[in-house]
Amino acid sequence: MRAVEFEYETNAPKDDELLVLRRVLRRRYARFIGVDSSIRPILNIWPGGFAGVGAIGLAQALSERNLIEGFDANAGNSIGLPICAFAASGQLHELIDIILNRCTNTAPIFVSQWSPWGTNEFISWPRWLRGGSVFDFSRLIPLLYEKLDVEALRASPVDVWAIVSELESARPDLLHLQGAHEDADIMRIIMASLHIPELCAGEVRINGKAFGDGACVNIFPIRRIVEKYQPTDMLVFANRPKDWHPSFYNRMSEEPLLRHLTPEMKKGMRTREERLQRRIDFLRSRNDFRYLIIYPKKDVSMFCNDKKVSADLYESGRLYMHQLLDTCFGQEQKFLHM
């Protein structure tokens, strides 16, 4: 395994930098013994495409320690939403199986994205060059529907929120998965959160509005999350390096994807990185709750569907979170045997 290193940022005291994780432990314990708690931790997972596989590993370690129920709510954006949903239903192993065995390729990295040998049943850049869509969700969404235990998701005490973009107004919105009336509506919300305009066929409408990937206009709608839940603690899986900035190539490669979008959406996509930095600055300015942001040190492309890279990223994230939790368990011995 080629390990990918992670690092974290927090506003917790220097002598207690993992305070957020320790408070997640305490919230889980309070829920386990059935008592009320003033602790309200939130898990937020950013978008990132295949870079988000590391977040699956981080979340899987939390699940293996029975700590997913230590959060009051999970909010996911793009790939972050299926991670939140499968975590709440206790099925992250199903999600990583889908990604590693159905969405990735074993072809060399230099052909894995653009050649017929690098395509699979869900992803095909050659199809896009011929005028089709890169992502074919007509197959992926039914597979997610088949694997996701919707009954377990609805029964989970953890609220799951989808961060999506309202495409006509270019504004972010939060949609509650467990609040959907029909099981099919849950999958429609997941599909909306994954839907990238120009790369996916058609559109996704919910209650008459067209929605798309939350990363289109607001990667981290921190104000909306804080207003809705008033969290005491927030754990964030960033899916990008701490000092990452879009390159000239990144910006120019996106321009063809904007051609059919509304002026509001074009502006939203072109300025989303600047707005992300403002949201992070807003988070850093708060002193009424603690946060812990986990970043990968290596930049992995959202389109890197190389199976070995994804497997290494997943396992690196899982081991890193276990290391952090070992430290927490050492500090919180009385919570070891929940």
Side-chain angles (χ1 to χ4, degrees):
M1 183 187 79
R2 181 174 295 179
V4 176
E5 295 184 345
F6 291 79
E7 61 181 336
Y8 63 79
E9 171 188 347
T10 182
N11 64 346
K14 287 289 185 181
D15 59 349
D16 195 8
E17 292 189 331
L18 299 180
L19 175 63
V20 170
L21 291 180
R22 292 204 300 110
R23 287 168 65 84
V24 170
L25 294 175
R26 293 181 180 182
R27 179 68 180 96
R28 176 66 182 93
Y29 182 70
R31 181 166 275 161
F32 177 76
I33 63 176
V35 300
D36 292 333
S37 173
S38 61
I39 301 174
R40 299 183 304 280
I42 302 294
L43 173 64
N44 176 238
I45 305 180
W46 290 6
F50 284 97
V53 174
I56 302 179
L58 293 168
Q60 177 62 26
L62 291 172
S63 181
E64 289 170 359
R65 299 291 185 102
N66 295 317
L67 291 177
I68 294 298
E69 292 188 6
F71 298 94
D72 278 23
N74 298 344
N77 194 331
S78 191
I79 182 62
L81 179 59
I83 299 174
C84 288
F86 277 82
S89 68
Q91 297 177 284
L92 282 169
H93 61 284
E94 296 281 10
L95 181 60
I96 192 62
D97 179 70
I98 291 172
I99 290 177
L100 293 183
N101 296 315
R102 302 292 291 273
C103 297
T104 57
N105 307 296
T106 56
I109 187 64
F110 62 87
V111 300
S112 66
Q113 295 178 25
W114 295 100
S115 76
W117 297 277
T119 61
N120 57 50
E121 59 188 308
F122 307 125
I123 304 168
S124 174
W125 283 98
R127 180 173 58 225
W128 182 69
L129 294 175
R130 295 193 300 267
S133 60
V134 175
F135 302 108
D136 183 2
F137 288 157
S138 66
R139 297 181 180 182
L140 177 59
I141 296 300
L143 180 58
L144 293 175
Y145 192 14
E146 174 188 341
K147 297 296 185 179
L148 179 64
D149 187 340
V150 177
E151 184 176 341
L153 173 63
R154 290 189 182 278
S156 173
V158 183
D159 286 336
V160 179
W161 291 87
I163 300 170
V164 295
S165 300
E166 205 277 287
L167 297 184
E168 294 177 2
S169 65
R171 294 179 179 177
D173 203 354
L174 297 178
L175 303 178
H176 188 207
L177 252 64
Q178 289 101 326
H181 294 296
E182 303 291 339
D183 292 353
D185 293 335
I186 290 179
M187 303 314 300
R188 183 171 293 277
I189 294 174
I190 292 177
M191 185 174 179
S193 186
L194 294 170
H195 190 276
I196 304 175
E198 293 298 305
L199 295 184
C200 302
E203 62 181 10
V204 182
R205 287 193 169 269
I206 301 173
N207 296 328
K209 295 182 179 180
F211 289 100
D213 192 316
C216 292
V217 296
N218 198 333
I219 294 173
F220 186 34
I222 176 65
R223 297 176 190 271
R224 297 286 300 276
I225 295 173
V226 170
E227 289 172 1
K228 183 172 288 293
Y229 269 93
Q230 298 296 311
T232 58
D233 305 88
M234 181 176 292
L235 176 62
V236 179
F237 298 160
N239 293 334
R240 59 172 62 190
K242 183 176 181 179
D243 297 321
W244 185 90
H245 297 285
S247 65
F248 176 80
Y249 169 77
N250 291 138
R251 293 187 181 277
M252 290 302 100
S253 63
E254 283 189 345
E255 286 302 309
L257 307 181
L258 308 181
R259 54 191 173 183
H260 299 308
L261 300 182
T262 64
E264 292 81 6
M265 277 299 298
K266 289 180 181 179
K267 180 180 179 181
M269 292 191 70
R270 286 170 176 154
T271 61
R272 70 183 187 275
E273 297 298 337
E274 290 80 359
R275 283 182 286 112
L276 171 62
Q277 188 57 53
R278 291 199 297 269
R279 267 59 177 186
I280 295 176
D281 291 341
F282 169 79
L283 179 65
R284 290 169 176 162
S285 71
R286 301 291 295 237
N287 56 15
D288 54 336
F289 64 87
R290 301 299 182 187
Y291 69 82
L292 176 68
I293 307 177
I294 298 179
Y295 303 92
K297 290 186 177 182
K298 178 182 177 181
D299 183 21
V300 177
S301 168
M302 65 174 292
F303 298 115
C304 181
N305 57 332
D306 181 278
K307 184 172 185 176
K308 187 177 186 309
V309 172
S310 294
D312 289 348
L313 185 57
Y314 165 77
E315 191 61 20
S316 297
R318 194 181 72 85
L319 293 176
Y320 180 76
M321 179 56 76
H322 272 302
Q323 292 172 1
L324 296 183
L325 292 174
D326 284 341
T327 301
C328 289
F329 276 121
Q331 297 170 341
E332 295 276 326
Q333 287 292 328
K334 62 181 178 181
F335 296 115
L336 264 173
H337 305 291
M338 291 191 297

